[in-house]
Amino acid sequence: MELLYNKDSYLTEFLADVVSIEPVELNGKPVWDIVLNRSCFFPEEGGQDCDHGSIFDVNSENFYRVIYVALKDGVIHHYVESEGRPVIARAHGLIDWDERFDKMQQHSGEHLVSGTVYRYFGFNNTGFHLGDVDVTLDFNGFFTEDELIFIEKTVNRAVLENFESKIYVPSKEELKKINYRSKKEIDGDVRIVEFPGYDVCACCAPHVKTTGEIGMIKIISSEHFKGGTRMMIKCGWRALSDYNERLKSCRAVSHLLSAKAEEIAPAVEKLSKDYRDLKYSYTELQGDYLDSLVRTAVQNPNPVIFIENADTSVARDAVNNMVEKSDGYCGCFIGSDNQGYSFIVSSRSKNCPELLNRLKECFEAKGGGKNRMIQGSCKGSRKAIMELINA
C-alpha cells in the first residue's frame, strides 16, 4: 500500500482504488472499514492521534466521514459510519488540513524540544502524546526553572532561524553512521526526521518543511512524573489560542480586583490576607456564640447544640466544653433538617458507638469513632434526632 503522507506532509487529497469494505466494530459500535490502495490519511501511531476527513465516491454524491484511521501490517484502515454498506466505485480522499497542520506544528515543536533536552542535558524522551488539546513529553530527568527557560529560548531561536527540515530513509549502512534518537528498535526501513543542528530522530509522522511554520513554542507546565519529568507544550496556533485564553482570564481577574494586570499577584495576596483575618474573626465570633449555646445546653441531661454553620474545630471545642460539665451525650449537629447534619458527639459515661448505631438505623447516618467520641453525618429532623438521643 502506498503511504502518501510519507512522501508529502502537505498532500491533502488523493484518488485511490477500493481494495475492500468490511463491517467491523470500533469501541463497541458498528462501523465500516475501508481499505484503499493508497492514502494520505495518517493513522494513530507514534503517540500521535490520527487524521480525520472524508472519502468521496468520484462517480456519485456519496461521501463518508472518516472517524478513525489505523495502520495494521502496513495497511491503512479508514473507519467510517454509515447505515448501509458504503457505495464507492473509486475513492477521492480529503483530509482535514487545519487539523493536520496543527499536529505538524506540535510534533515538529516536540522534536526541537526533545532534541534540545537530549543535546544539552542528556535526558531521553521516554513518552509522547499528541492529542487534540494536549501535547505531553516525558523525560527521564529533572529540570530547574532556569533550565526550562533555556530550553524554551533555544527552541524558539530555531523557529526564528526558519531553516528546512530533512526527511529521508537511509540505507542500512548509512543508518549505522547516523546518531539518531529512537524509543525502540525498528525493523526494516527507518524514516529519519532531522532538524539540522537541533535534532535527528526516527519518526513516522508528517512534519513542517521549515521551522518558521511551527510558530512559537511554549512550555505550559512541567511536573515530576514516574521518576522523571512530564512536560506540556503548545506550538503555533495552539500557543496563540492558549495565550488569548490566559489573557482573557487575566483581564477578568484584573477587573474583579480593580487592579492592573501587573498588580494582580499583590492584589490577590492582600485579598488572601484579608480573608484569613476575616476567617479568624469569624471563628472567634462562632466560638463566642457556641459558648453561649453551651451555657444553655448543659442544663439538659443530654446537652446537644444545633447550628446551621460552624467550623469543625470550633464545634469540637464546644463539645469538649460540654463534656466537662455533663455526664450525658454532648453533641453539636451542623446543618439543617432539609440538607442534613454533620455531627460530633462525645460522652464521658455513655457508649457513643451504640448511639451511632441507632443513628444509622433511623437516620442513614455515616461515620465512626470510639467509646468517648463519634462523628459523621445523618439525615433527619432536629426534633426526631433529639428524641432518639433522649430515649
Side-chain angles (χ1 to χ4, degrees):
M1 182 179 190
E2 193 176 1
L3 307 180
L4 300 174
Y5 57 81
N6 273 337
K7 299 178 180 179
D8 186 358
S9 298
Y10 293 78
L11 185 65
T12 61
E13 55 185 316
F14 62 96
L15 293 175
D17 295 327
V18 178
V19 175
S20 65
I21 301 177
E22 301 292 340
V24 296
E25 282 195 356
L26 178 65
N27 298 325
K29 296 182 179 180
V31 296
W32 294 90
D33 175 7
I34 300 177
V35 175
L36 308 173
N37 69 326
R38 61 207 302 262
S39 178
C40 74
F41 279 85
F42 181 74
E44 181 177 11
E45 190 178 16
Q48 178 172 322
D49 288 353
C50 66
D51 285 333
H52 298 88
S54 299
I55 295 177
F56 299 81
D57 175 29
V58 296
N59 296 323
S60 70
E61 296 181 352
N62 298 331
F63 75 94
Y64 306 91
R65 183 69 182 166
V66 178
I67 60 174
Y68 183 69
V69 184
L71 179 66
K72 301 177 182 178
D73 299 323
V75 176
I76 296 289
H77 296 259
H78 312 80
Y79 295 97
V80 304
E81 293 179 322
S82 175
E83 292 184 0
R85 188 179 191 277
V87 179
I88 306 174
R90 180 162 169 75
H92 173 202
L94 180 66
I95 68 167
D96 182 335
W97 168 247
D98 288 341
E99 178 190 44
R100 162 69 71 83
F101 185 68
D102 166 66
K103 290 175 180 176
M104 286 165 58
Q105 287 184 312
Q106 311 313 312
H107 204 147
S108 296
E110 178 271 321
H111 274 235
L112 289 179
V113 173
S114 295
T116 297
V117 168
Y118 180 75
R119 177 184 178 188
Y120 288 98
F121 303 97
F123 301 150
N124 291 311
N125 180 317
T126 58
F128 165 65
H129 177 70
L130 197 176
D132 293 332
V133 178
D134 296 328
V135 182
T136 57
L137 296 67
D138 297 335
F139 296 102
N140 59 349
F142 304 100
F143 307 94
T144 65
E145 190 65 31
D146 287 342
E147 288 170 342
L148 292 173
I149 293 172
F150 169 80
I151 294 168
E152 196 172 75
K153 284 185 176 180
T154 301
V155 296
N156 280 286
R157 187 178 298 113
V159 171
L160 293 175
E161 290 173 359
N162 194 29
F163 55 81
E164 290 188 358
S165 61
K166 296 181 179 180
I167 300 177
Y168 52 96
V169 180
S171 67
K172 290 185 178 180
E173 291 302 315
E174 291 172 330
L175 187 64
K176 293 177 182 178
K177 302 175 184 179
I178 300 174
N179 181 22
Y180 66 96
R181 295 187 302 109
S182 181
K183 296 185 185 70
K184 61 181 181 179
E185 292 292 330
I186 302 173
D187 295 328
D189 292 338
V190 178
R191 182 174 182 265
I192 296 295
V193 175
E194 180 178 355
F195 291 93
Y198 288 86
D199 188 44
V200 183
C201 183
C203 183
C204 59
H207 285 274
V208 298
K209 288 181 180 178
T210 62
T211 56
E213 294 177 88
I214 299 172
M216 183 178 71
I217 302 173
K218 182 64 183 174
I219 299 175
I220 302 299
S221 65
S222 177
E223 61 185 13
H224 288 187
F225 179 78
K226 292 185 178 179
T229 299
R230 168 159 288 183
M231 188 184 296
M232 182 183 291
I233 66 170
K234 290 184 185 290
C235 307
W237 292 117
R238 287 196 195 187
L240 178 62
S241 177
D242 181 77
Y243 176 84
N244 286 334
E245 286 298 316
R246 292 170 187 262
L247 183 60
K248 182 179 178 181
S249 296
C250 182
R251 286 171 174 166
V253 174
S254 176
H255 176 73
L256 290 171
L257 294 173
S258 299
K260 296 179 180 179
E262 61 272 20
E263 298 171 348
I264 286 178
V268 171
E269 185 177 355
K270 180 180 182 302
L271 187 64
S272 178
K273 181 181 180 301
D274 291 345
Y275 171 75
R276 290 194 301 269
D277 292 343
L278 185 62
K279 185 178 180 182
Y280 179 76
S281 298
Y282 177 65
T283 301
E284 283 191 320
L285 289 173
Q286 274 191 339
D288 292 342
Y289 177 58
L290 284 177
D291 284 344
S292 67
L293 295 180
V294 166
R295 287 193 291 270
T296 302
V298 292
Q299 299 175 23
N300 302 314
N302 294 302
V304 176
I305 295 170
F306 285 81
I307 188 171
E308 287 192 8
N309 294 290
D311 185 80
T312 302
S313 61
V314 176
R316 185 176 289 107
D317 288 342
V319 170
N320 290 334
N321 190 5
M322 287 187 284
V323 169
E324 293 178 358
K325 300 176 174 64
S326 173
D327 291 329
Y329 287 122
C330 304
C332 184
F333 284 72
I334 306 167
S336 67
D337 288 2
N338 292 331
Q339 296 181 354
Y341 294 92
S342 62
F343 61 82
I344 301 173
V345 178
S346 181
S347 178
R348 59 184 176 184
S349 62
K350 295 192 174 185
N351 190 323
C352 291
E354 181 183 344
L355 175 62
L356 179 60
N357 289 333
R358 286 191 285 148
L359 289 170
K360 289 180 178 180
E361 291 174 3
C362 299
F363 304 113
E364 303 178 36
K366 298 179 181 178
K370 298 181 180 180
N371 289 339
R372 292 290 304 275
M373 179 175 285
I374 57 172
Q375 61 184 50
S377 62
C378 67
K379 298 177 181 179
S381 69
R382 172 175 179 171
K383 179 180 179 183
I385 292 171
M386 281 308 304
E387 287 177 352
L388 182 142
I389 292 174
N390 290 325

